[in-house]
Amino acid sequence: MQNTERVWDLVEAKRPEFEALSDRVWAMPELCYAEQRSAAEHAAMLQQQGFRITRNLADIPTALMGEAGEGGPVIAILGEYDALPGLSQQAGIAEPRPVETGGNGHGCGHNLLGSASLLAATAVADWLAETGTPGRVRYYGCPAEEGGAAKGFIVRAGAFDDVDIAISWHPAAFSGVNEPLSLANTRIDFSFFGRASHAAAAPHLGRSALDAVELMNVGVNYMREHMPQDARIHYALLDAGGIAPNVVQATAKVRYLIRARNLPELTKLIARVEKVAEGAALMTETRVDSRVIAAVSNLLGNAALERAMFENFQRLGPPPFDAADRAFAREIQATLSPEDIEAAFRRVGLPARPDAPLCDTIVPLDARGEKMVGSTDVGDVSWAVPTVQARGATYAIGTPGHSWQLTAQGKTDAAHKGLAHVAKVMAGTALDAIRDETLLARARAEHRAKLQQTPYVSPLPQDAKPALDMSRQVA
Ligand SMILES: [Zn+2]
């Protein structure tokens, strides 16, 4: 096994351009399906690097794909570039100070996510061209990870049908192979329709849609005691029926986010929540409609690819953070509680180390963290093709996801080092798959065996379409 890789030099050679891309996307935070400028930046970079571009992937205006190379296996590297509402924050300072009050911000580091993935794909493309090796590498620019589940729609459109393996990553506090553990979920909007009337003069003629929403929430709150313990249900009010208390609210809308360990459990839970909604409608003599906005599958692991990626991490060592990086990470940590920091270690299954504000190790492949998990739309890709994900250290240990502290660290030197580091890991893993037919065969066989046991059924109803208007609803 080599300890240096030509493809790592190719990553280094183009690193400044991609750090600049990440910083530009950081500075134009765009929400779910409204990432026009960020997607255009990624398309321009693909063009500049000589990729063949497919725009409007799966009929989603901000989804795109670039391909380079000829013949051979097809390696997909997945990127994202969507931001979050309310997380506007100035870069490089350790106190909450928004760039724009209430504005969007890259509080999940997707500016880094997209740039590192595109850098990895570019380095692999350059290596294929330099060596004349058959093989194709694709960069998938995937919008709306934060709630839009775009990858599920992209999978459903067949964009991964001829792909051999998929590789991705997510910014994190630690470096290592991502434990393939995430919850299946679905977002459903429940709209209630009642009858307006004067709340004092003719209350008996009104039927309140807001009452129905409140009763539904109460019903689901009681149901929580009787569901599998790793399931999660959350809700947000999208429409409370207006601002006038003296008008019986004729319409109201609530968005439910339902999560479960896997699709069969999710399906059962959805049916129960729907019954509660119908019960609320029955009690209030209103009508209820539901619309699935998005849905994702749980992640399917692939041990062969995880091992290959881990070996790349080991050969590379942890990201080369220096004293200045650690000093700023300590300033960020001073804004966190000791529990935040301890919990971060526990999540990856490592003993807590107060002396390490930034990751200085590789999380072992067999480390088992605490099972407090979220969801990702990479889940659906992992059912379509063998998939592996890295986590790449880019921020202070203990930084909560979706926080101003995370936005503040999106353009630091540490973030840039983490970006290049994980790009090398992904490019190295891609080359392993291109050069080693037995690795590909093992990855495929494992994937096939898992699908034979549990066939993949998209969690998206057939008539569900990407909620392209989603960010307008939250704005
Ligand atoms: Zn994220």
Side-chain angles (χ1 to χ4, degrees), residues 8 175 311-320 361-362 421 425:
W8 296 347
S175 290
E311 282 167 8
N312 277 275
F313 266 116
Q314 274 190 315
R315 282 151 59 206
L316 204 51
T361 185
I362 302 297
H421 182 265
V425 169

Side-chain angles (χ1 to χ4, degrees), residues 12 37 83 91 104 112 121 135 145 150 237 302 306 319 323 329 348 350 358 370-371 393 412 421 452-453:
E12 278 298 326
R37 292 171 65 206
N104 307 330
L112 297 163
E145 196 281 329
L237 272 181
N302 193 282
E306 284 152 22
V348 293
L350 291 179
L358 283 169
E370 254 181 18
K371 309 231 176 304
T412 57
H421 182 265
Q452 259 159 14
Q453 221 168 35

Side-chain angles (χ1 to χ4, degrees), residues 19 42 50 85 121 125-126 128-129 131 143 175 178 187 199 208 210 212 215 241-242 304 311 347 378 387 430 473:
E19 289 175 356
H42 278 240
D126 291 349
L128 289 170
T131 59
S175 290
N178 186 57
R187 279 163 209 255
S208 170
L210 181 59
L215 286 165
E311 282 167 8
R347 265 197 301 277
V378 177
T387 300
Q473 293 171 8

Side-chain angles (χ1 to χ4, degrees), residues 396-414:
I397 296 171
T399 306
H402 299 189
S403 63
W404 67 262
Q405 288 95 334
L406 215 153
T407 311
Q409 296 173 81
K411 293 204 299 184
T412 57
D413 281 350

Side-chain angles (χ1 to χ4, degrees), residues 80 82 84 107-110 113 145-146 169-171 375-376 402:
E80 298 164 13
D82 57 327
L84 286 155
C108 204
H110 293 183
L113 205 173
E145 196 281 329
E146 300 292 355
W169 78 291
H170 201 286
S375 308
T376 167
H402 299 189

Side-chain angles (χ1 to χ4, degrees), residues 182-269:
S182 76
L183 299 175
N185 82 26
T186 186
R187 279 163 209 255
I188 307 179
D189 287 355
F190 291 93
S191 302
F192 288 89
F193 303 93
R195 200 183 320 135
S197 74
H198 194 296
H204 58 293
L205 298 180
R207 295 292 179 269
S208 170
L210 181 59
D211 286 357
V213 165
E214 291 193 65
L215 286 165
M216 176 179 177
N217 293 345
V218 169
V220 171
N221 287 342
Y222 273 98
M223 197 190 92
R224 269 205 190 83
E225 193 187 340
H226 309 287
M227 59 185 210
Q229 65 168 2
D230 40 13
R232 298 280 185 274
I233 303 186
H234 342 281
Y235 56 80
L237 272 181
L238 301 189
D239 171 15
I243 55 162
N246 57 352
V247 177
V248 171
Q249 291 83 355
T251 60
K253 194 193 262 194
V254 60
R255 174 167 297 166
Y256 265 79
L257 173 47
I258 307 166
R259 307 186 201 242
R261 190 167 32 180
N262 53 39
L263 288 180
E265 284 191 10
L266 183 66
T267 307
K268 283 185 211 154
L269 213 50

Side-chain angles (χ1 to χ4, degrees), residues 420-446:
H421 182 265
V422 80
K424 288 176 188 171
V425 169
M426 291 191 286
T429 310
L431 286 202
D432 289 344
I434 289 171
R435 289 182 299 205
D436 180 356
E437 275 176 34
T438 63
L439 171 61
L440 261 191
R442 275 183 287 130
R444 277 199 206 106
E446 189 184 330

